């Protein structure tokens, strides 16, 4: 069966196509009687207005393109949930694409989103070079989530990673840990602030930092622990790990278990993001909470302000993370002699 058209609705309601178009654009120029007739005809026929056609006709767009860095990471699902809630209230439609953590693929995905002629684009932790973001910002308003920027016309929404990194260390030190290793996020844009927070807190407590270059994936967390197992003897193994994110932490926990080390009895583990994965009972990961849903909502609000012409100056939203204590952290154990030594 062919999809009903605006002409079909007009014929059913006994009005012109132009009047149907006004109703679909929610124009105040249509009487209540005729608006009701058009909407009833559209409902009876199962007619849905074509979003792109409507945008082109009105020379405005209620489409928001969303580029998700990694569909496997539950952090982004929570951010999109917050975006969707605000978008619904604002009459905006979200279109999602992903670049799978590849700059080349992200560039293609961004070009695809721009082909829909959106009102704006929100980029979630992109790995795109700044030049590509600057070029896109010359076409539409851009909001970055989980990445900073100084580009004119680009708004940003982030948590304070330095505070988050320090919270993890402070929690572990309060439990009695001193040999605390950071499995970082490598080249991820959020990783630098978390590294700084870790280093600052370790220095404040008079402890020697040790950072293992890693990535925000479970496989990288496993590999990071395997590197540590090669570096340290059992009696000198670190008593705690601060991981770049929850995915990394879950991978690290898996590798620790394979090596016969218990969490948290032998090694405490802290993640970052507080995703739904961390809250699962059999994982019960102590982690740093980013207000993910709120971040998504703020991103859409920032974009809406630009679309409405409320402002032109960029906004820089920075939210404070919080520690969430679960079952993967405890006081250092004593399985191995020398476990409490302060030196690596």
């Amino acid at each position: 069966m062919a999809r009903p058209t605006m002409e079909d609705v007009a014929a059913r309601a006994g009005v012109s196509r132009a009047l149907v178009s006004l109703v679909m654009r929610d124009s105040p120029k249509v009487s209540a009687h005729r608006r009701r007739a058009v909407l009833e005809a559209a409902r009876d026929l199962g007619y849905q207005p074509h979003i792109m056609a409507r945008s082109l006709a009105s020379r405005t767009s209620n489409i928001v393109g969303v580029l998700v860095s990694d569909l496997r990471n539950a952090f982004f699902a929570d951010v999109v949930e917050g975006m969707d809630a605000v978008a619904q209230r604002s009459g905006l439609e979200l279109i999602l694409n992903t670049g799978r953590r590849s700059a080349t693929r992200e560039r293609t995905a961004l070009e695809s989103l721009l082909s829909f002629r959106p009102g704006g684009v929100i980029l979630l932790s992109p790995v795109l070079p700044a030049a590509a973001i600057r070029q896109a910002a010359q076409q539409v308003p851009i909001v970055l989530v989980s990445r900073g920027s100084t580009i004119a016309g680009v708004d940003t929404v982030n948590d304070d990673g330095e505070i988050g990194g320090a919270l993890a260390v402070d929690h572990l030190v309060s439990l009695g840990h001193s040999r605390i290793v950071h499995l970082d996020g490598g080249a991820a844009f959020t990783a630098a602030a978390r590294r700084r927070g870790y280093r600052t807190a370790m220095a404040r407590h008079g402890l020697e930092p040790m950072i293992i270059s890693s990535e925000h994936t479970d496989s990288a967390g496993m590999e990071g622990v395997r590197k540590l197992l090669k570096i340290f003897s059992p009696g000198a193994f670190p008593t705690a790990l601060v991981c770049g994110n929850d995915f990394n932490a879950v991978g690290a926990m898996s590798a620790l278990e394979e090596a016969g080390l218990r969490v948290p009895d032998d090694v405490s583990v802290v993640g970052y993001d507080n995703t739904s994965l961390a809250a699962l009972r059999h994982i019960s990961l102590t982690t740093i909470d980013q207000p993910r849903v709120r971040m998504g909502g703020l991103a859409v609000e920032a974009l809406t302000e630009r679309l409405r012409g409320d402002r032109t100056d960029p906004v820089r939203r920075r939210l404070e993370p919080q520690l969430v204590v679960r079952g993967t952290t405890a006081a250092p154990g004593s399985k191995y002699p020398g476990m409490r030594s302060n030196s690596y």
Side-chain angles (χ1 to χ4, degrees), residues 48-331:
Q48 292 289 335
H50 193 288
I51 295 175
M52 283 193 66
R54 183 172 60 190
S55 297
L56 290 172
S58 63
R59 297 184 182 277
T60 61
S61 177
N62 66 338
I63 299 171
V64 175
V66 181
L67 179 61
V68 182
S69 175
D70 187 354
L71 290 175
R72 298 170 300 172
N73 192 333
F75 167 78
F76 296 114
D78 292 338
V79 175
V80 172
E81 180 182 338
M83 292 171 52
D84 183 63
V86 177
Q88 290 283 338
R89 296 197 300 267
S90 304
L92 300 172
E93 301 281 350
L94 304 182
I95 296 179
L96 273 64
N97 207 342
T98 181
R100 299 184 183 180
R101 301 175 61 249
S102 160
T104 300
R105 295 194 65 150
E106 280 192 0
R107 190 186 295 272
T108 300
L110 178 57
E111 290 174 354
S112 176
L113 289 172
L114 291 173
S115 72
F116 285 89
R117 301 189 183 183
V121 172
I122 300 176
L123 306 176
L124 304 187
S125 194
V127 297
L128 283 165
I133 297 173
R134 184 179 293 105
Q135 184 178 24
Q138 293 172 354
Q139 303 177 55
V140 296
I142 298 289
V143 181
L144 294 178
V145 178
S146 289
R147 177 170 170 176
S149 175
T150 58
I151 301 173
V154 174
D155 300 320
T156 61
V157 180
N158 294 283
D159 86 316
D160 194 319
E162 288 194 46
I163 290 178
L167 281 173
V169 173
D170 290 344
H171 169 62
L172 292 168
V173 171
S174 74
L175 294 174
H177 292 277
S178 57
R179 297 151 53 132
I180 305 167
V181 171
H182 181 31
L183 304 185
D184 75 359
F189 287 94
T190 54
R194 296 173 193 179
R195 276 193 298 269
R196 288 195 300 271
Y198 164 82
R199 286 185 180 278
T200 299
M202 292 290 282
R204 176 162 35 86
H205 292 291
L207 301 176
E208 185 71 24
M210 180 176 185
I211 298 175
I212 299 295
S213 182
S214 190
E215 291 182 358
H216 286 161
T217 64
D218 53 350
S219 59
M222 295 178 69
E223 183 58 31
V225 168
R226 289 167 184 159
K227 289 179 182 177
L228 290 173
L229 289 168
K230 294 177 181 178
I231 296 172
F232 296 105
S233 63
F237 199 81
T239 64
L241 301 179
V242 174
C243 297
N245 72 349
D246 290 350
F247 262 23
N248 185 280
V250 170
M253 290 165 62
S254 178
L256 289 169
E257 182 180 356
E258 288 179 358
L261 294 169
R262 298 167 299 170
V263 176
D265 304 65
D266 302 318
V267 182
S268 286
V269 177
V270 180
Y272 205 110
D273 289 341
N274 193 29
T275 60
S276 56
L277 181 69
L280 292 175
R281 181 175 298 179
H282 70 285
I283 295 176
S284 189
L285 177 65
T286 295
T287 186
I288 304 300
D289 177 69
Q290 291 194 72
R292 307 163 309 285
V293 174
R294 178 62 175 150
M295 291 169 72
L298 285 172
V300 175
E301 289 176 7
L303 190 59
T304 303
E305 290 171 357
R306 285 194 179 274
L307 294 177
R308 291 175 177 170
D310 294 342
R311 62 173 174 80
T312 56
D313 294 333
V315 296
R316 306 282 182 247
R317 307 286 189 187
R318 187 177 298 277
L319 307 181
E320 186 168 329
Q322 303 290 328
L323 173 71
V324 177
V325 179
R326 295 194 179 96
T328 59
T329 52

